[in-house]
Amino acid sequence: ILEDLVEEMVRRSDAFKQYGCSKVEEYVEKTGSELPRILVIMDEFQILYNDMTNRRVANNCAELTKRLVTEGRAFGIHLVMATQSTKVIGGLALEAGTVEQMRIRIGMKCGESDARYLFGDRNDMKALQMMKGPIGTAVMNLEYTEDENIGLRVAYCGKEAMSAYQE
């Protein structure tokens, strides 16, 4: 999937160059063609980059992800990466610089070390305070350590509601 996404990014890059564009909106305006954005959601992403399991696969995936994170946004390709703990991230094939390029951070109730990793030293204690509350209470920062944290609440679907949708 990551290889296919990089191929799509290169294809889009070539098309943008052909029309002298640098943004998706500019390409759509100049060509009149639709160019849908691609959103990839990776839950428990650390499994993919664990080089203890398979170093070659982990390193290849890390390199492809680095390209997508650093270049993909310009071509309408976006990654959402989720994990329940940031403790394992330091030991992965995924470089710290790649993770730092993932500017938008969202955290739900977590410990101090996870909050520090997600929001930086300047924002971690504020984030922890903002995370207190009912199920779904979360904190978002749109520019990693450079912006202020924003409190929000995400949708929560309990067991009773889920069973109603599964019928």
Side-chain angles (χ1 to χ4, degrees):
I1 291 170
L2 293 172
E3 289 171 348
D4 289 347
L5 288 167
V6 169
E7 285 178 23
E8 176 63 14
M9 183 180 71
V10 170
R11 188 190 69 71
R12 288 179 178 206
S13 173
D14 292 343
F16 279 31
K17 288 175 189 167
Q18 180 181 352
Y19 289 96
C21 304
S22 60
K23 296 179 181 178
V24 172
E25 297 81 9
E26 193 177 6
Y27 176 82
V28 170
E29 187 178 306
K30 283 187 177 183
T31 64
S33 301
E34 289 187 15
L35 189 63
R37 293 186 183 273
I38 299 171
L39 178 64
V40 179
I41 301 172
M42 301 169 76
D43 191 19
E44 298 303 341
F45 69 89
Q46 72 277 6
I47 295 167
L48 185 61
Y49 306 102
N50 183 347
D51 61 5
M52 301 291 273
T53 305
N54 188 325
R55 184 179 309 254
R56 190 176 64 72
V57 170
N59 288 334
N60 184 47
C61 289
E63 190 56 38
L64 294 168
T65 300
K66 179 179 180 178
R67 288 196 61 196
L68 290 166
V69 167
T70 57
E71 303 169 41
R73 286 176 290 194
F75 305 109
I77 301 173
H78 308 276
L79 301 179
V80 173
M81 299 174 77
T83 185
Q84 291 192 27
S85 176
T86 62
K87 290 176 182 71
V88 297
I89 295 174
L92 301 178
L94 199 58
E95 295 176 9
T98 301
V99 175
E100 287 177 11
Q101 286 291 317
M102 299 174 197
R103 306 303 291 175
I104 299 174
R105 307 291 178 102
I106 299 174
M108 297 179 77
K109 291 182 184 180
C110 62
E112 279 185 45
S113 63
D114 288 334
R116 189 169 299 112
Y117 185 86
L118 284 171
F119 301 107
D121 292 334
R122 184 174 74 91
N123 286 322
D124 62 341
M125 292 313 213
K126 293 178 197 171
L128 283 171
Q129 287 298 327
M130 295 172 84
M131 288 177 193
K132 293 180 180 176
I135 292 174
T137 300
V139 176
M140 176 173 64
N141 193 305
L142 297 174
E143 197 51 54
Y144 185 33
T145 61
E146 297 172 24
D147 272 356
E148 292 297 317
N149 295 332
I150 302 165
L152 61 116
R153 187 146 181 228
V154 296
Y156 173 75
C157 186
K159 289 180 183 178
E160 190 175 303
M162 278 192 274
S163 65
Y165 289 113
Q166 292 173 346
E167 294 175 1

